[in-house]
Amino acid sequence: EAGVAQSPRYKIIEKRQSVAFWCNPISGHATLYWYQQILGQGPKLLIQFQNNGVVDDSQLPKDRFSAERLKGVDSTLKIQPAKLEDSAVYLCASSFGTGGWEQYFGPGTRLTVT
Amino acid sequence: KQEVTQIPAALSVPEGENLVLNCSFTDSAIYNLQWFRQDPGKGLTSLLLIQSSQREQTSGRLNASLDKSSGRSTLYIAASQPGDSATYLCAVKDTGFQKLVFGTGTRLLVSP
């Protein structure tokens, strides 16, 4: 069974530029998550989708971050414009459903903003 | 608001030792608790998932316990090996907001 796929793996941009990350969840998983992990910290949930609807985006900085999950499968996370403090690893995860289902994580995208 | 704490923040042991990593959480209303391993520059690998109705889970040399009423979990690693060197993260999924809340991790170094 293929795992959660993410691209790119690494990205370096200058502040005020824009960037987009892509995630393809495990086949059949209805729930998709984007996390931000700053160096030395645990991951923090940015947004959670159930199929193509948003369940929780309470910690998403909506003035610069956006995410979509068209057709309820793969998803993109965009940052525009980027700030220095956005330097982090962005992790995508998926699960069969909400509640007690296990979450499976992708390899992450390491973003460096200079 | 759920908060997860992991102690110690870092641990260095010689190969072959048995060790215990600790995780505590403030709200006992959880669906489950997961232990993850994270290698430098990599994503998260799920090690063990304990549902709220369970007391422990085992996988190979790993054993995780859960005491929901006291808000604590431990990850026991038997006969540690250099390949176990990584950061270990604990996360709980609470029934309120239904999202994983992570601790800051324990960085483990096992020396040959």
Side-chain angles (χ1 to χ4, degrees):
Chain A
E1 178 184 270
V4 177
Q6 289 187 248
S7 67
R9 293 294 314 280
Y10 306 92
K11 191 73 176 179
I12 301 174
I13 62 172
E14 296 180 352
K15 60 183 178 184
R16 291 187 289 274
Q17 287 187 326
S18 63
V19 64
F21 312 127
W22 174 82
C23 172
N24 191 36
I26 292 173
S27 177
H29 281 194
T31 312
L32 185 147
Y33 314 79
W34 283 102
Y35 290 84
Q36 179 192 58
Q37 185 178 21
I38 293 172
L39 187 65
Q41 300 181 17
K44 179 186 79 172
L45 181 71
L46 292 176
I47 189 167
Q48 175 182 344
F49 292 94
Q50 179 69 16
N51 296 309
N52 60 350
V54 175
V55 174
D56 182 357
D57 63 357
S58 58
Q59 298 189 93
L60 186 74
K62 298 180 185 64
D63 57 334
R64 297 183 300 105
F65 286 64
S66 64
E68 60 182 12
R69 191 185 183 197
L70 301 176
K71 300 180 182 178
V73 182
D74 54 354
S75 175
T76 56
L77 176 69
K78 297 179 182 178
I79 308 175
Q80 182 180 10
K83 293 184 175 181
L84 296 177
E85 59 260 36
D86 298 332
S87 294
V89 176
Y90 291 85
L91 296 162
C92 180
S94 70
S95 63
F96 185 78
T98 57
W101 292 98
E102 184 171 358
Q103 290 187 25
Y104 297 85
F105 283 76
T109 296
R110 179 175 297 277
L111 173 67
T112 302
V113 182
T114 62
Chain B
K1 177 187 172 187
Q2 181 75 264
E3 292 182 3
V4 180
T5 304
Q6 291 187 246
I7 295 173
L11 182 62
S12 182
V13 300
E15 182 178 5
E17 268 201 16
N18 302 324
L19 56 99
V20 174
L21 308 181
N22 296 291
C23 171
S24 61
F25 48 95
T26 55
D27 187 345
S28 62
I30 64 171
Y31 276 119
N32 56 45
L33 182 145
Q34 269 182 279
W35 282 95
F36 293 89
R37 169 185 173 137
Q38 187 171 34
D39 293 287
K42 301 292 179 63
L44 304 181
T45 300
S46 180
L47 298 173
L48 290 164
L49 170 71
I50 312 176
Q51 298 293 353
S52 62
S53 58
Q54 297 173 322
R55 294 291 299 230
E56 66 177 335
Q57 282 284 343
T58 298
S59 176
R61 294 182 293 109
L62 306 179
N63 175 276
S65 67
L66 173 64
D67 185 342
K68 199 174 66 168
S69 60
S70 68
R72 288 188 291 192
S73 176
T74 61
L75 178 67
Y76 175 82
I77 303 176
S80 59
Q81 303 171 358
D84 295 330
S85 298
T87 296
Y88 291 80
L89 291 158
C90 162
V92 298
K93 191 169 192 182
D94 59 39
T95 58
F97 293 98
Q98 296 197 31
K99 62 185 179 185
L100 275 181
V101 178
F102 284 83
T104 53
T106 294
R107 193 170 63 254
L108 173 65
L109 177 64
V110 181
S111 53

